[in-house]
């Protein structure tokens, strides 16, 4: 066993199942062990490394910024943060012009939740609607919005109580739960952790209409779907809808831990100074990572590449004609292969024999979240690995 695995097993919390090999470095779409073994990375740190590993634009931006200033509380302005916020307002849909910077996906959702509740402090509407199969994070606010009971059972007494779960892609189910006490609806546009289920066009558009009609805030959790992952900068752009509040994280800093909550001036106005803040959120290093990531996504047309590669992968997987495949779902480079049995042994086979790393989503879905820089050669290697696994795993 590699040495770092033993040490992490001894001194780590034990909350992660460590894989049997240790990664030394990453470059582009590959991860390398210290003895030079190479793995094709179709997980990208759970959808984080959208530019691939150690992209020179990101490395240079971080180096340059680190020499200037690494930390500066958001109560002091600095050029790189201003640039990042300006860029966010340019790439997000209209009206969403103001950004709060956070350090993770769950923090983005916590902030969105507080923002929604603050908007209703006078009229006191406490109810929130989330979707069955949703995943919004694991801190106590976002955990309440996450559906899977496995994650929340132990903490159920500490969760926000007024959350109801509607059936995803069934507008009548949302309509039934909506009433005069509903302040917000939160949804992913492609449910990621829940098994890779894209919203239908009708559902997303009818949900937007319903929220507008009843003056309910529409929160789009684009932590996994945003920053080009699904073939446009944000998944909501596929559906021609503009949420009231949009959450990002994962790819926002290309690997640097950061996220955002973006909304309109009218909505931000209701969250008062002191009611929300973050020591690390908005630090200049994160801002530099965000600027380099957005510029590279735009300059290299990576959302378009994600759309093209995603379509190619889904088309090719559809031709596999294996009785082990139940369904293939996805949008851009967020793709799920629903199998007829548990995905674990296929994932292990691909990692150990094919040197290709995928992720699960639930028990029976093999999920692909590769860097957005992949080309058709990388896609073909991944498809071949799956083909081999489907033939060889018993
Ligand atoms: C849609 C969605 N929201 C929120 C989160 C939580 O993000 P984090 O793990 O950065 O807290 C995730 C993580 O997978 C996610 O997929």
């Amino acid at each position: 066993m590699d040495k770092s695995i033993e040490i992490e097993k001894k001194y780590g919390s034990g909350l992660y199942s460590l894989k049997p090999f240790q990664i030394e470095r990453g470059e582009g779409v590959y991860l390398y062990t210290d003895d030079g073994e190479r793995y094709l990375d179709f997980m990208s740190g759970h959808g984080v490394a959208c530019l691939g590993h150690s992209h020179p634009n990101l490395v240079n931006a971080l180096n340059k910024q680190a020499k200037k200033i690494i930390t500066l509380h958001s109560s002091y302005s600095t050029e790189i943060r201003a640039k990042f916020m300006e860029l966010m307002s340019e790439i997000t849909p209209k009206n969403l012009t103001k950004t709060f910077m956070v350090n993770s996906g769950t923090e983005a959702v916590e902030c969105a939740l507080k923002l929604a509740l603050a908007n209703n402090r006078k009229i006191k509407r406490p109810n929130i609607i989330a979707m069955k199969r949703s995943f919004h994070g694991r801190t106590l606010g976002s955990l309440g919005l996450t559906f899977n009971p496995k994650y929340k059972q132990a903490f159920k007494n500490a969760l926000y109580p007024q959350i109801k779960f509607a059936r995803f892609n069934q507008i009548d189910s949302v309509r039934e739960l909506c009433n005069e006490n509903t302040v917000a609806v939160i949804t992913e546009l492609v449910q990621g952790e829940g098994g890779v289920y894209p919203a239908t066009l009708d559902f997303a558009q009818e949900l937007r209409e319903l929220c507008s009609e009843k003056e309910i805030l529409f929160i789009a959790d684009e932590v996994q779907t945003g920053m080009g992952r699904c073939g446009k900068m944000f998944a909501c752009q596929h559906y021609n809808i503009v949420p009231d509040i949009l959450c990002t994280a994962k790819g926002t800093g290309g690997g640097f831990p950061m996220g955002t909550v973006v909304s309109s001036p009218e909505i931000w106005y209701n969250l008062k100074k002191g009611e929300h803040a973050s020591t690390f959120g908005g630090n200049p290093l994160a801002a530099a990572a965000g600027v380099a990531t957005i510029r590279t996504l735009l300059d290299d047309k990576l959302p378009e590449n994600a759309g093209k590669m995603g379509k190619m992968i889904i088309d090719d997987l559809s031709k596999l004609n294996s009785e082990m495949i139940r369904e293939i779902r996805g949008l851009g480079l967020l793709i799920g292969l629903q199998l007829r049995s548990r995905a674990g042994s296929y994932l292990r086979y691909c990692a150990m024999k094919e040197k290709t790393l995928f992720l699960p989503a639930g028990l029976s879905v093999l999920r692909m979240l590769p860097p957005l820089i992949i080309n058709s050669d990388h896609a073909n290697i991944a498809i071949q690995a799956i083909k081999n696994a489907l033939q060889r795993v018993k």
Side-chain angles (χ1 to χ4, degrees):
M1 197 188 284
D2 292 0
K3 195 149 185 286
S4 74
I5 301 178
E6 284 169 38
I7 298 171
E8 285 202 40
K9 279 198 169 155
K10 186 165 176 196
Y11 296 109
S13 62
L15 288 170
Y16 298 97
S17 314
L18 287 172
K19 304 292 180 277
F21 51 91
Q22 149 187 344
I23 299 298
E24 175 74 5
R25 65 185 184 90
E27 192 182 323
V29 294
Y30 287 97
L31 293 172
Y32 295 84
T33 62
D34 51 1
D35 50 10
E37 195 76 75
R38 187 174 89 155
Y39 291 83
L40 181 66
D41 182 9
F42 263 50
M43 325 179 296
S44 59
H46 289 223
V48 169
C50 56
L51 308 181
H53 295 281
S54 295
H55 192 291
N57 294 358
L58 186 56
V59 173
N60 291 340
L62 286 170
N63 275 331
K64 198 169 141 205
Q65 185 60 43
K67 284 183 194 149
K68 271 193 189 167
I69 185 164
I70 292 177
T71 189
L72 182 73
H73 191 261
S74 291
S75 47
Y76 291 82
S77 177
T78 191
E79 193 183 343
I80 193 71
R81 192 192 303 119
K83 187 73 235 164
F84 174 72
M85 290 172 170
E86 197 177 29
L87 276 175
M88 280 307 290
S89 89
E90 281 167 21
I91 62 170
T92 46
K94 68 175 163 60
N95 307 339
L96 306 183
T97 55
K98 284 174 154 297
T99 293
F100 181 82
M101 292 171 69
V102 296
N103 311 288
S104 66
T106 199
E107 280 179 65
V109 173
E110 295 287 329
C111 174
L113 187 59
K114 285 175 73 176
L115 184 55
L117 293 172
N119 266 270
N120 276 282
R121 76 177 83 220
K122 289 201 192 79
I123 36 185
K124 297 207 176 7
R125 293 185 190 178
N127 296 354
I128 312 247
I129 297 174
M131 301 296 148
K132 293 191 173 173
R133 276 194 320 244
S134 61
F135 187 86
H136 297 294
R138 297 174 199 260
T139 50
L140 291 174
S142 67
L143 187 61
L145 301 165
T146 291
F147 181 67
N148 194 337
K150 180 178 91 178
Y151 299 139
K152 41 204 263 191
Q153 190 56 26
F155 318 102
K156 61 177 192 290
N157 296 333
L159 305 178
Y160 186 69
Q162 272 126 322
I163 299 169
K164 295 256 182 322
F165 289 92
R167 284 192 293 281
F168 187 63
N169 274 341
Q170 297 190 25
I171 195 66
D172 287 343
S173 169
V174 184
R175 212 171 262 130
E176 275 163 26
L177 296 178
C178 261
N179 58 32
E180 65 290 351
N181 287 323
T182 309
V183 56
V185 173
I186 181 165
T187 189
E188 299 152 270
L189 287 160
V190 181
Q191 292 188 315
E193 304 295 310
V196 188
Y197 290 90
T200 61
L201 184 64
D202 282 355
F203 177 71
Q205 293 191 341
E206 285 168 11
L207 186 60
R208 177 62 275 184
E209 278 165 28
L210 180 68
C211 288
S212 302
E213 180 196 314
K214 304 225 180 260
E215 295 187 349
I216 291 169
L217 294 170
F218 184 133
I219 306 172
D221 179 346
E222 293 238 25
V223 164
Q224 190 158 157
T225 54
M227 309 312 289
R229 167 68 48 198
C230 291
K232 292 189 186 281
M233 194 57 90
F234 296 99
C236 62
Q237 293 162 333
H238 276 291
Y239 297 90
N240 287 321
I241 57 168
V242 179
D244 299 300
I245 302 172
L246 184 142
C247 302
T248 81
K250 292 202 186 275
T252 311
F256 197 89
M258 67 182 297
T260 65
V261 178
V262 192
S263 191
S264 61
E266 304 78 56
I267 290 175
W268 277 119
Y269 175 78
N270 294 301
L271 192 60
K272 303 296 178 201
K273 284 190 177 60
E275 287 182 338
H276 199 64
S278 166
T279 299
F280 287 131
N283 86 80
L285 213 49
V291 168
T293 301
I294 295 173
R295 285 197 173 136
T296 309
L297 288 172
L298 293 172
D299 291 349
D300 296 353
K301 299 193 169 30
L302 294 181
E304 289 88 333
N305 188 56
K308 212 169 80 195
M309 288 297 118
K311 185 172 176 327
M312 176 192 147
I313 294 173
I314 290 177
D315 286 350
D316 285 3
L317 288 176
S318 309
K319 291 182 203 138
L320 286 187
N321 206 9
S322 160
E323 59 191 25
M324 291 312 300
I325 300 177
R326 191 185 287 276
E327 197 177 23
I328 300 153
R329 300 182 290 265
L331 192 60
L333 286 174
L334 169 46
I335 299 171
L337 189 68
Q338 173 105 49
L339 300 166
R340 290 193 192 275
S341 59
R342 289 179 175 231
S345 43
Y346 297 91
L347 294 168
R348 276 191 296 280
Y349 173 90
C350 287
M352 303 316 289
K353 299 278 190 235
E354 302 289 335
K355 310 290 177 210
T356 300
L357 305 178
F358 300 109
L359 281 171
L363 286 178
S364 59
V365 176
L366 181 153
R367 181 172 34 149
M368 297 178 206
L369 279 172
L372 310 186
I373 57 168
I374 60 163
N375 60 32
S376 50
D377 291 342
H378 304 122
N380 286 330
I381 297 171
I383 291 163
Q384 188 61 46
I386 290 173
K387 228 182 199 169
N388 294 346
L390 291 171
Q391 281 165 4
R392 294 176 195 161
V393 172
K394 296 277 175 291

